[in-house]
Structure formats: structure tokens, C-alpha cells
Amino acid sequence: MWTDKQRGIRVSKEELLCKNACGFYGNPAWQGFCSKCWRDRAHPAGAPRQDIRPSNDGTPLTFFKFEEKKNIEKGRRISTMRRLFWGSPSPPKQDTSESHTNMLKAYQSLEPGDFPGFLKILRSPPSQRLHSQCKAFLKTMEAYHDIPVQKQSDHVQDFYQSFAEHFDGFPDPQITQIMEHLEKLIMTQLHKWVFCHDSCDDEQKDLILQRRIRSLNWVTPQMLSVPFPDENDISVTSDPFLPAITAIIEMDAKRAPQDKLACVFKCSQHVFKVLSSSNGEPADADGFLSGLIYVVLKANPPRLHSNMQYVIRFGLPHSLMAGESGYYFTNLSCAVAFIEKLDGPALKLSPEEFEGYMMRQSAPYAGNRRQRVASDTQHLLEELNGRQEKVDQGIDALSVQLQKWVQSVHSQLDDAEAQFVVVQKKITAQGELSHLSPSSSHNASQQGEHEEQSVLELTAENAGPTDTDC
């Protein structure tokens, strides 16, 4: 039913990919590039450019000198990470000791999602060196927590890369699993030092975005072409997107970037579920982005900009560059960018209508909303009347059944009473016979015999003389 409507929001999967055509997902925060291409773009190796900043002697630095300075700084940072890990600025030789082999076997046997198991292996004697390096890195980051947040991000990403080099021989899925555990361990403890850092303007942008979303609370699902389920299938006050709204709000309570991404993943799954149930078919990219925009407008998640920047700066690159998590996070970034630049034509409104809604001079579809509420109320009243009639009919039927049951009980009681009287009489007669004594029975027997003898004699007398007498 939505194919004949012109959508105000259109997006394809190709538009979500990196502008550099590397195959990974891009992000508006990186101007459409993926994290890898964005970092490469930030440190280009192309044609020479003139740097307008003066040097110490007053002459402008050439591009080569500037690149040399950047490379020296990058090399110093990498050397610091390697020195922190290996005790020297150069990578260590491959350790073939039995302890190192046992450590690698322990990490290979690690089950997916078993974070307590990862901590247990990391604290075991074979992994004591890695554990000490993690503790040293956390202490260093805590001691230098006032450095700019971008440098903090670079240090964390370099630490990820240095840690991953210990497992070069592992398959990619196992390395990814180990690195996800490491990210959770490191960032859970660094969250209070790097989240919404004083060196950036994340807090101000959070307030701006929050006010922007609050000013757009009049936007309806119909304006965004969000296919809502049939109104007759849900109650007036329910919102099918409520689980998605709850999931995106929970993102601020998480500390690890992967846990924040999990909230985005959960929210997106709920959006797809609602859209699929309303259309009766899987949702497309346009419908999903529209639904996600609606969820963000309704939820107005706390510190949304800071949470997204935190994931971008300190999350594992593969989580944002590929997979479902990367796709959903890219769509969330697109949704925020759409909200920041939202205007009348995007909602199929004239500039005057859009300005009137923003200034609270009018409300969209006020008459239709009142008519809808009245219609829904009338529908509920009719439904309640039907239910009341069914209840009355049930009461009448139950009353008739109750009367029949009472009559049946009375009849059964009368029959039982009559049978009880007969049985009582029999029991009384048997009781009277059993109360006679043995002596009385003997006298009665003798008296009976005497009476029988008298009867015989009387019978003989009445019979007359016999033949002998004659």
C-alpha cells in the first residue's frame, strides 16, 4: 500500500557505502568515508602542498617538511605503544616458548562472548605480560587524561593494533572476538576519562541536537511515510515502536562502544520487526530509515551526539566498517544528519506550514486527530456494549443452570432421606433381636416344646378309640 506514495526519504545501500568505493560503510561524521579511508585522507600521501603556517625562521613550511613532521609524530606515537608493549620500539621476535604456546592455545579455546573467560586467561601466568601491558596502558591514559580527545583516540586505536599483532596467526573471527573483549576491558575503565571530553564541543552539540529534536516533536509518522500497523489491531495509546525507543535510550547507560552498538542493533531489529508486521513483507532501506528517524524523534536519546562520537573514536574499526552493526550505525548517523537538516520539502510541507509548526502557531492534522480520537472512542464504546451484552447473556444462562442444579440437589436429598428412613428401620429391628438374652431364649424353647406336646395329646383324644381297644 506504500508503493504508490512518493517518499520524502530515499536511501540505497550504495549511498551508505564509503565514497572511496572500498566496500565498507561510510559515515556522515567522516564526510561519507569509512574510518580507514578517513584516516588515510587525514594524512594524505599525494602531491605536495604548501603549508601556510610559518616556521621558526619565519619562512613557510613546505609540504614535505610538514609530512616529515607528521610522520615523526606518528612514528613517535607508535614507538611509545610498542615500548609500552614490548619494552623496545621494535616488534619482539616470535616467542616459541611453551608458556607462549599455552597462552595462544588458551585464547584459541575461548568461547564467543565469554568475557569472564577472557579475563581469566588474561590474568593467568602465561598471559601475565599482556596483563601488565594493559594495566600500564590504562594507568598512562589516566595520567594523561587531559590531552585532546583525538590524541586519546589515536592512542587507543594504536593500542588495539599493537595488541592484535600478538595473534597474527589466528583466523580473523578469533582475532575479532579477542579484540572485542579487549575493547570492553579497556573502554569500560577509560569511559569516565574520555567520554564527552573537555577538549571537544560534544556537550554543546548534545544540547543543540536535543533542542532540535524537541522542536520537531510534532512530526507525525505519516509525514515520514512510516507504515504504521492497522489502527484496529492496536489500542489508542500504544506505540509499536516503544521497544525500539527503549533500546536507543539505553545506549547512554552503556560504557563499552560495543555495548552501545548492541543497543543500536537491538533498536534497529525492533524497527524492522514493526515495519515487516505492518506491511506483511520485509522492510526496505527507505522504510527502515524513516522508521529509525521516527524512533529518534520520539525517544530524543540523552547525549546522542556524544555517544555516537564515543563509538566512532574508541570503537573497533571493523564494527563500524562492515556487518549489520556497521549498517545500522551508519543509518543512525544518516538519521541524525537528516534531523539536523530537516525542512518542509523533506516532509512534503510548504515552507510556511513547516515554519508554522516550528513556531507552534498550528498543529498538524488537528481536526483529523480529533476525528480519529472520536472515532476510536466510539469504536471502543461499541465494543464495550457488545461485551456487556455477552456478559448479560452469560449471567442469564448461568442463572438457569444454577436453578436446575439446585432442583437436582433437592431431588437427590429427598431420595437419600427416604433411603435413610428404610435403612434406619431395618437397623432398629435387627438391634431389637440382638438384645434378647440366652436364658430367655431357652425358656421360650421349652415353653414351645410343652405347647407342642399338649397339642399332640389333644389331637389323640379327639381321634377316638383304636383297634386294640376294641
Side-chain angles (χ1 to χ4, degrees):
M1 69 180 180
W2 296 94
T3 56
D4 57 341
K5 293 185 178 181
Q6 181 67 28
R7 292 189 179 276
I9 305 170
R10 285 185 174 274
V11 64
S12 63
K13 186 175 181 180
E14 289 73 17
E15 294 173 342
L16 298 177
L17 295 177
C18 177
K19 289 182 179 180
N20 211 22
C22 63
F24 297 117
Y25 290 113
N27 194 292
W30 299 318
Q31 299 181 7
F33 294 93
C34 67
S35 62
K36 182 178 181 301
C37 294
W38 173 253
R39 290 179 184 275
D40 294 341
R41 188 171 179 269
H43 304 287
R49 296 178 301 174
Q50 294 292 330
D51 195 318
I52 61 174
R53 292 176 297 179
S55 61
N56 292 334
D57 56 358
T59 60
L61 292 173
T62 64
F63 174 78
F64 296 103
K65 291 183 178 180
F66 175 72
E67 281 297 305
E68 182 180 359
K69 182 178 179 181
K70 295 293 292 185
N71 292 333
I72 292 175
E73 181 181 354
K74 183 177 180 180
R76 186 183 299 113
R77 190 173 68 244
I78 295 177
S79 297
T80 302
M81 288 295 104
R82 287 177 173 175
R83 200 174 280 115
L84 182 62
F85 257 88
W86 303 316
S88 65
S90 59
K93 297 180 180 180
Q94 186 67 28
D95 190 357
T96 58
S97 63
E98 183 178 356
S99 177
H100 183 74
T101 303
N102 293 336
M103 180 195 71
L104 295 181
K105 288 183 178 180
Y107 281 107
Q108 286 178 335
S109 63
L110 187 64
E111 295 293 333
D114 187 9
F115 182 67
F118 169 78
L119 295 179
K120 184 177 180 181
I121 296 175
L122 185 63
R123 294 166 181 169
S124 62
S127 298
Q128 184 174 4
R129 184 176 181 182
L130 290 180
H131 186 215
S132 300
Q133 292 164 354
C134 290
K135 292 172 63 177
F137 175 74
L138 290 173
K139 290 181 179 179
T140 302
M141 291 294 294
E142 181 178 350
Y144 295 96
H145 65 273
D146 55 345
I147 63 177
V149 67
Q150 188 56 48
K151 287 188 176 294
Q152 291 179 332
S153 174
D154 292 338
H155 288 322
V156 170
Q157 296 297 333
D158 291 339
F159 183 79
Y160 290 158
Q161 183 177 359
S162 300
F163 195 92
E165 290 177 359
H166 288 269
F167 309 95
D168 284 340
F170 282 29
D172 289 340
Q174 288 188 346
I175 297 178
T176 299
Q177 172 186 325
I178 294 173
M179 295 308 299
E180 287 178 350
H181 292 320
L182 175 70
E183 179 212 83
K184 189 169 186 177
L185 170 65
I186 296 299
M187 297 315 303
T188 299
Q189 301 184 52
L190 292 182
H191 178 271
K192 61 181 179 180
W193 301 113
V194 301
F195 183 80
C196 200
H197 199 266
D198 294 337
S199 63
C200 60
D201 57 352
D202 289 347
E203 186 174 358
Q204 289 77 10
K205 290 184 177 180
D206 282 331
L207 296 176
I208 294 174
L209 181 59
Q210 191 174 31
R211 286 195 294 264
R212 174 67 173 175
I213 294 176
R214 190 183 301 116
S215 67
L216 293 169
N217 61 357
W218 49 268
V219 176
T220 64
Q222 292 75 19
M223 292 179 178
L224 297 170
S225 299
V226 177
F228 252 67
D230 188 1
E231 297 177 4
N232 296 328
D233 296 338
I234 58 175
S235 63
V236 176
T237 57
S238 65
D239 190 334
F241 289 96
L242 185 59
I245 294 173
T246 303
I248 196 66
I249 291 176
E250 290 176 350
M251 181 172 62
D252 186 59
K254 308 299 182 180
R255 291 190 291 179
Q258 61 180 281
D259 293 337
K260 294 182 182 293
L261 275 178
C263 293
V264 178
F265 183 92
K266 183 179 178 181
C267 169
S268 302
Q269 289 290 315
H270 285 302
V271 172
F272 267 114
K273 182 178 179 181
V274 174
L275 297 179
S276 300
S277 63
S278 61
N279 285 338
E281 59 184 11
D284 56 8
D286 293 338
F288 169 66
L289 182 58
S290 300
L292 191 59
I293 292 172
Y294 172 77
V295 168
V296 174
L297 289 176
K298 286 297 180 181
N300 198 357
R303 301 190 294 185
L304 179 58
H305 175 80
S306 293
N307 281 291
M308 294 177 62
Q309 290 299 314
Y310 177 76
V311 173
I312 291 173
R313 292 165 182 156
F314 302 102
L316 294 172
H318 76 270
S319 300
L320 303 178
M321 294 166 58
E324 286 186 285
S325 298
Y327 176 76
Y328 294 149
F329 188 80
T330 300
N331 274 272
L332 177 61
S333 301
C334 293
V336 173
F338 177 85
I339 292 172
E340 291 175 341
K341 300 177 181 179
L342 186 61
D343 55 6
L347 300 176
K348 305 175 187 177
L349 299 174
S350 65
E352 293 76 13
E353 289 177 324
F354 182 82
E355 189 66 23
Y357 296 152
M358 292 294 292
M359 300 299 294
R360 298 294 190 274
Q361 296 175 355
S362 60
Y365 306 138
N368 292 341
R369 186 182 295 115
R370 287 194 295 268
Q371 184 178 0
R372 175 186 171 186
V373 172
S375 176
D376 292 337
T377 304
Q378 182 65 26
H379 175 74
L380 286 177
L381 290 175
E382 294 176 356
E383 184 179 357
L384 290 175
N385 289 332
R387 291 181 180 179
Q388 185 64 36
E389 292 178 359
K390 291 181 180 180
V391 171
D392 293 339
Q393 294 175 0
I395 292 176
D396 295 338
L398 183 61
S399 178
V400 172
Q401 294 178 1
L402 183 60
Q403 292 178 0
K404 291 181 179 180
W405 179 77
V406 170
Q407 293 176 359
S408 175
V409 171
H410 283 306
S411 176
Q412 293 177 4
L413 288 176
D414 292 340
D415 294 341
E417 185 177 0
Q419 293 178 3
F420 177 76
V421 172
V422 174
V423 172
Q424 189 176 22
K425 288 181 179 180
K426 290 182 180 180
I427 294 175
T428 303
Q430 293 177 0
E432 291 177 354
L433 292 176
S434 63
H435 283 80
L436 294 175
S437 61
S439 59
S440 300
S441 300
H442 179 70
N443 293 335
S445 177
Q446 290 180 349
Q447 184 177 359
E449 293 177 357
H450 179 72
E451 291 178 354
E452 183 180 359
Q453 186 65 29
S454 299
V455 171
L456 290 175
E457 291 177 356
L458 181 61
T459 302
E461 291 178 357
N462 293 333
T466 63
D467 294 341
T468 307
D469 294 336
C470 294

